[in-house]
Amino acid sequence: MHEKRTEITQLGEFGLIERIRNSISTHRPDTLAGIGDDAAVVDAGNDALLWTADMLVEGIHFDLSFTPLQHLGHKAVTVNVSDIAAMNGVPTHMLVSMGLSNRFSVEAVEVLYEGIRAACTQYGVDLVGGDTCASRSGLILAVSAIGKAGKGKVVMRNGAKPKDIVCVTGDLGGAYIGLQVLQREKEVFLANPDMQPGLAKYAYAVGRQLRPMARTDIVHELLEAGVKPTSMIDISDGLASDLLHICNQSKTGVRIFEDKIPIDTQTYQTAALEFKLDPITCALNGGEDYELLFTIKPDDFEKVKNHPDIHFIGYITDNADERVLVTKQNNIVLLQAQGWNHFRPSSESGR
Ligand code: ADP
Ligand code: MG
């Protein structure tokens, strides 16, 4: 008799997580939210404790031929802090676990920790533990962060309501274009090791890829402005995919407008002119920008409308079958979750 075997590619990352989610039930009264958001929420008296974990794996998430270890350490902290920010919380403590192959020296680990330390200082987080073990397949960094928010302040993915305004911080697509540049320069270097990579022209996009920043500043500013988003997520997989998470969990539709999507000029030009990529596609599906995507009540618009780094890209609708982008030509395109699927059979992205 044959045992049934389902390839992980059939389900994809989200499908697999959904399957795990359906197999787990929580029992404790202090578990306020389990699997399914940017972080878990645990009752801690006056505060809610937020708890998240994110792993970075060599060859999947990073390529050490162009990723300085210091930046990698910084990014490993950032991606976790970003998930705490996405719950409208403040990060407080962190555990760092790593698997190391014998390619890595003590000095290399020290450089990695320089980046980890710098990020912890920047975000005001204490590193309080972790685990270290050997690895046969390169470097694995598994970080877990906790943070807190006042009990009524936690923002989940499921609170968006029709007419809410969809907001996004910063600009999108840069991290993806940065990765394209780094991969191209790597190819050039491999073909001709005398060629020095010319990255100066792409400093912004490359910086977005190698050294993203979590938007803890926005969480603080929204609080100051007296605005509590109705839903929020950080953009790790791409605007389209992450907006669909909000819509799925909030059971809503959405309409966003192509001409409102923030894209940096350098990102735009590099995408269009050098890589022949549609900059909007990069913004929708690129991922790894670690900006915040959130919805606010229409009444709160006045309070944030002049914020220089918050962009208003559309609105939530009650039609859950219509989650669309309105193009500059006024065409309507269905949003699709093309985010990153690390399980796809022939991943060329190196992430
Ligand atoms: P994010 O992109 O915000 O880090 P993920 O897509 O990685 O979120 O995870 C979505 C949700 O699934 C989170 O609540 C996360 O804690 C949970 N999750 C992911 N992997 C597992 C797992 N192996 N077991 C249990 N929960 C998981
Ligand atoms: Mg997230």
Side-chain angles (χ1 to χ4, degrees), residues 6 9 23 34 45 50 58 67-68 89 137 141 145 147 168 190 223 286 327 329:
T6 311
T9 44
S23 74
L50 307 166
E58 184 176 357
T67 309
S137 57
L141 275 176
V168 68
L190 289 177
L223 187 70
T327 68
Q329 294 80 31

Side-chain angles (χ1 to χ4, degrees), residues 205-285:
V206 167
R208 297 284 289 168
Q209 167 61 220
L210 294 181
R211 211 172 188 286
M213 285 296 295
R215 301 308 305 259
T216 47
D217 56 332
I218 296 287
V219 171
H220 183 72
E221 284 159 16
L222 288 175
L223 187 70
E224 295 239 298
V227 175
K228 183 188 166 194
T230 52
S231 69
M232 186 148 62
I233 188 168
D234 66 326
I235 302 188
S236 51
D237 294 323
L239 174 63
S241 173
D242 291 318
L243 189 52
L244 288 174
H245 281 310
I246 286 186
C247 289
N248 283 333
Q249 299 215 16
S250 301
K251 303 187 171 59
T252 65
V254 72
R255 225 160 225 258
I256 57 171
F257 297 87
E258 180 181 356
D259 61 347
K260 303 282 185 215
I261 295 176
I263 303 177
D264 161 75
T265 315
Q266 186 188 85
T267 302
Y268 196 99
Q269 290 182 347
T270 309
L273 302 177
E274 297 191 28
F275 291 98
K276 311 291 177 222
L277 290 168
D278 177 8
I280 294 294
T281 307
C282 297
L284 285 173
N285 300 320

Side-chain angles (χ1 to χ4, degrees), residues 314-326:
Y315 57 88
I316 297 291
T317 69
D318 58 8
N319 182 357
D321 295 327
E322 206 206 51
R323 295 156 177 179
V324 295
L325 171 81
V326 181

